[in-house]
């Protein structure tokens, strides 16, 4: 924690000393992502890199491996490499504003994707409409359960934009169904299958009569599905996820198992949109404060189309 505080303090000090130098064109983009082990962030990275290549733009990618202090240090380094725009997905809620302020001090356009740092927004925020689509996923699995039963929620990283919004959406669906009882919930750190598995195992041990699980990312939902299979409860528990990861879509396309629905985000399109937005901001053009590609409720019926062509 002391090391983290020192890095952040040094970063903020550099902000105070730096001066703006706005570029009017984009030749080099810095992309800071939380964790490239997650397919969701890899899909965004692919969108940025592929579209950047089409435009003749060099893309420098840094992976924080879900560590805030590492991300702040990485972004400090990006600022020394002559980037003309900064595409930023915060690694966590703590110190998330620091990288934005570093870029602002250099006059570099900031494009936030998926998560926005509280108190330090970028020039635009690109993210799926998590509230409504999480509501659709939870409503779907609750309807499949007949509108009743004990439910668990496996959250993403606490306080991040998607975690907060997906909680709101799912809670709305739960509140509309008085015979559904949210009996347990737990937060993850990495949004990962391993976490989903261990968290779901503990939940099932404490509540063997669970009927519903909502994992706020497909990794969490896939891990929960494995835990349900191991417990021999695949005929009892219905699971929903979120994101439309490739592995999850392939699972859903088989039309078997407890994991039955997700919300497929247009991740590669988000990457392309981020590059376009960076080019416009650097040229002095206006961009919307928020840009919201739709996430599509995905089940076994429509999963194959997204397996064949991920948006």
């Amino acid at each position: 924690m002391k090391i983290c505080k020192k890095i952040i303090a040094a970063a903020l000090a550099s902000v105070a000393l730096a001066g703006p130098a706005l570029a009017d064109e984009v030749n080099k983009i810095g992309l800071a992502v939380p964790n490239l082990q997650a397919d969701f962030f890899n899909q965004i990275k692919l969108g940025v890199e592929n579209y950047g290549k089409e435009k003749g733009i060099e893309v420098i990618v840094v992976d924080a491996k879900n560590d805030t202090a590492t991300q702040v240090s990485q972004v400090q380094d990006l600022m020394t490499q002559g980037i003309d725009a900064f595409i930023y997905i915060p690694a966590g809620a703590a110190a998330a504003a620091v990288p934005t302020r570093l870029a602002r001090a250099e006059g570099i356009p900031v494009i936030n994707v998926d998560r926005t740092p509280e108190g330090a927004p970028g020039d635009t925020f690109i993210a799926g409409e998590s509230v409504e689509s999480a509501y659709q996923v939870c409503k779907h699995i609750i309807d499949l359960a007949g509108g009743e039963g004990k439910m668990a929620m496996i959250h993403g990283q606490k306080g991040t934009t998607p975690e907060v919004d997906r909680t709101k959406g799912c809670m709305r669906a739960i509140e509309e169904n008085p015979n559904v009882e949210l009996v347990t919930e737990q937060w993850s750190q990495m949004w990962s299958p391993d976490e989903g598995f261990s968290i779901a195992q503990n939940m099932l041990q404490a509540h063997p009569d669970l009927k519903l699980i909502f994992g706020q990312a497909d990794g969490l939902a896939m891990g929960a599905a494995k835990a349900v299979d191991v417990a021999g409860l695949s005929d009892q528990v219905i699971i929903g996820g979120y994101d439309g990861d490739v592995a999850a879509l392939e699972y859903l396309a088989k039309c078997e198992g407890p994991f039955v629905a997700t919300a497929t985000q247009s991740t590669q399109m988000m990457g392309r949109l981020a590059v376009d937005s960076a080019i416009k901001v650097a040229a002095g053009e206006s961009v919307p404060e928020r840009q919201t590609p739709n996430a599509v409720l995905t089940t076994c019926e429509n999963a194959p189309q997204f397996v064949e062509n991920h948006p």
Side-chain angles (χ1 to χ4, degrees):
M1 181 60 72
K2 288 181 179 178
I3 293 173
C4 179
K5 287 181 178 177
K6 286 179 181 178
I7 291 172
I8 293 166
L12 290 172
S14 70
V15 169
L17 294 171
L22 185 64
D24 59 0
E25 61 180 34
V26 175
N27 297 306
K28 187 185 294 186
I29 287 175
L31 170 62
V33 299
N35 176 27
L36 284 177
Q37 288 185 320
D39 181 67
F40 174 78
F41 298 124
N42 261 309
Q43 291 292 329
I44 294 173
K45 171 179 170 285
L46 283 172
V48 171
E49 289 180 328
N50 291 340
Y51 194 54
K53 188 175 181 180
E54 287 180 31
K55 296 285 188 180
I57 297 171
E58 179 185 354
V59 178
I60 303 172
V61 182
V62 292
D63 176 10
K65 296 180 171 58
N66 276 335
D67 183 76
T68 298
T70 296
Q71 189 169 62
V72 170
S73 179
Q74 288 174 336
V75 174
Q76 282 183 291
D77 185 56
L78 280 177
M79 296 302 127
T80 70
Q81 296 187 53
I83 62 171
D84 303 306
F86 178 43
I87 299 173
Y88 174 40
I89 312 173
V98 174
T100 302
R101 291 170 183 160
L102 287 167
R104 289 277 192 225
E106 298 291 338
I108 295 171
V110 180
I111 312 300
N112 291 131
V113 180
D114 186 55
R115 309 172 181 182
T116 186
E118 187 175 351
D123 294 286
T124 187
F125 174 42
I126 300 166
E129 205 297 301
S130 290
V131 177
E132 182 62 27
S133 43
Y135 166 78
Q136 293 294 337
V137 171
C138 287
K139 181 180 183 300
H140 181 78
I141 63 173
I142 288 170
D143 287 348
L144 290 177
E148 61 181 15
K150 292 184 178 180
M151 184 168 179
M153 193 184 308
I154 305 177
H155 294 253
Q157 191 177 20
K158 194 167 190 175
T160 56
T161 309
E163 185 273 323
V164 172
D165 288 349
R166 292 171 199 179
T167 301
K168 287 178 183 175
C170 190
M171 287 304 302
R172 194 173 104 210
I174 293 169
E175 288 161 3
E176 289 177 358
N177 292 271
N179 292 324
V180 171
E181 182 185 4
L182 184 64
V183 294
T184 181
E185 52 188 325
Q186 188 172 328
W187 283 258
S188 65
Q189 287 296 319
M190 304 282 286
W191 309 75
S192 70
D194 288 345
E195 287 177 302
F197 178 72
S198 61
I199 291 171
Q201 274 197 320
N202 292 335
M203 288 174 163
L204 290 165
Q205 288 171 5
H207 303 278
D209 53 349
L210 269 181
K211 198 170 181 179
L212 294 155
I213 299 175
F214 174 50
Q216 291 188 348
D218 284 339
L220 297 171
M222 293 280 281
K226 183 179 177 182
V228 168
D229 286 340
V230 169
L233 296 173
S234 297
D235 294 332
Q236 172 186 305
V237 182
I238 301 169
I239 300 171
Y242 199 104
D243 282 333
D245 288 351
V246 172
L249 293 169
E250 290 173 345
Y251 179 109
L252 290 175
K254 295 176 183 177
C255 298
E256 59 185 30
F259 177 28
V260 300
T262 189
T264 299
Q265 298 207 73
S266 299
T267 42
Q268 293 200 33
M269 187 180 84
M270 289 162 67
R272 295 192 296 272
L273 187 57
V275 173
D276 264 338
S277 298
I279 292 169
K280 288 178 181 177
V281 173
E285 298 179 31
S286 62
V287 293
E289 183 178 340
R290 174 155 184 159
Q291 303 180 71
T292 311
N294 287 333
V296 180
L297 178 66
T298 308
T299 64
C300 109
E301 285 78 16
N302 60 342
Q305 73 185 66
F306 294 123
V307 172
E308 185 177 344
N309 185 21
H310 200 292

